[in-house]
Amino acid sequence: MNRLAKAGYWMLDYGYSARAEVGGILRPRGRRALVGPAGAGQGAGGGVDAGGGADAGGGPRPAGPVNVVLLPGVYERWHFMLPIMRRLARQGHPVHPVPELGRNVLPIADSARLLADRLAADDLRNVVLVAHSKGGLIGKYLMLRLDPEHRVERMIAVNSPFSGSTWARYLRLSSIRMFAADDLTVTFLGAPSPVNARITSVYGTFDQHVQAGSVLPGARNVQLPVAGHSRIIGSRALAALLDEELAEVAARLHP
């Protein structure tokens, strides 16, 4: 991909991010805006309401509901994942954001503890994590160190910096420097591990933030024909992959 094309995708991607943030501001925020769809049989926590604006392309109904927990990237509030939330809620899956993460700028370990607390508070089990960017690092940290009860079945990590981010060299912000390729936590999370077999790492054809790539050894690594770090969240290609992944988990949990 030449530089002009990369610059174009970069602008399109930031345009997508800006629209997602503005859209979230215009919507109700916090757990008061959530309701819990019946049928999960696991956990009492709230999920996103399937009604009121779910997109028409919701996909086929799964074999059974799966508790889905959504983890956004750095500087992204939970509503950044609304395209995924609406689609999966329409399919009947209880969808759970983690508002406690705020703008997701805490250290990865601290964020993972907030996630663990939320799973325990809502007693969520048979969970599939759907994570964007930093969310994938948070999810894997939890799977490795903070999930003794094996609440998490699987994680789909989208454009996650398992190899770090080159931006960490240039930006002095602690919220970005944590993604340095030689950071101990990033090195730990990018290494081979038995939990990698329960992770699908998804990435596009170009990612201006994770230039070293999102390939995770031992995971299912899938490249989608989408360019940009954030645009992939609203893509049909990712929606189809999520349908496939959740159908496999649902069939195993609800034979």
Side-chain angles (χ1 to χ4, degrees), residues 3-4 9 32 41 44 54 61 80 111 113 172 182 197 209 231:
R3 292 184 179 181
L4 183 61
Y9 282 124
R32 184 175 298 179
R61 289 277 176 176
F80 194 85
S111 298
R113 291 185 188 98
R172 307 297 294 179
D182 58 355
H209 292 167
R231 291 173 65 242

Side-chain angles (χ1 to χ4, degrees), residues 96-112:
H96 309 266
V98 187
E100 294 87 347
L101 292 175
R103 293 194 67 82
N104 206 2
V105 296
L106 293 175
I108 292 164
D110 293 346
S111 298

Side-chain angles (χ1 to χ4, degrees), residues 38 67 77 95 97 104 211 222 247:
N67 276 312
R77 294 189 184 274
V95 185
N104 206 2
Q211 297 179 3
V222 180

Side-chain angles (χ1 to χ4, degrees), residues 105-123:
V105 296
L106 293 175
I108 292 164
D110 293 346
S111 298
R113 291 185 188 98
L114 289 175
L115 171 60
D117 290 345
R118 173 50 51 200
L119 297 185
D122 289 349
D123 193 24

Side-chain angles (χ1 to χ4, degrees), residues 95-163:
V95 185
H96 309 266
V98 187
E100 294 87 347
L101 292 175
R103 293 194 67 82
N104 206 2
V105 296
L106 293 175
I108 292 164
D110 293 346
S111 298
R113 291 185 188 98
L114 289 175
L115 171 60
D117 290 345
R118 173 50 51 200
L119 297 185
D122 289 349
D123 193 24
L124 296 180
R125 301 178 186 275
N126 299 330
V127 168
V128 173
L129 303 175
V130 178
H132 178 231
S133 193
K134 179 186 177 182
L137 301 181
I138 295 169
K140 185 177 177 184
Y141 191 101
L142 176 127
M143 293 169 74
L144 282 168
R145 291 191 167 177
L146 301 174
D147 191 22
E149 298 184 51
H150 194 80
R151 294 177 182 273
V152 175
E153 283 284 326
R154 189 158 192 85
M155 178 170 71
I156 299 100
V158 183
N159 283 347
S160 290
F162 291 117
S163 299

Side-chain angles (χ1 to χ4, degrees), residues 57-115:
R61 289 277 176 176
V66 177
N67 276 312
V68 178
V69 174
L70 299 176
L71 302 173
V74 67
Y75 300 134
E76 298 171 0
R77 294 189 184 274
W78 66 265
H79 58 252
F80 194 85
M81 309 282 279
L82 273 172
I84 293 173
M85 298 165 103
R86 293 188 193 131
R87 179 183 179 85
L88 298 185
R90 183 177 176 85
Q91 292 177 357
H93 296 296
V95 185
H96 309 266
V98 187
E100 294 87 347
L101 292 175
R103 293 194 67 82
N104 206 2
V105 296
L106 293 175
I108 292 164
D110 293 346
S111 298
R113 291 185 188 98
L114 289 175
L115 171 60

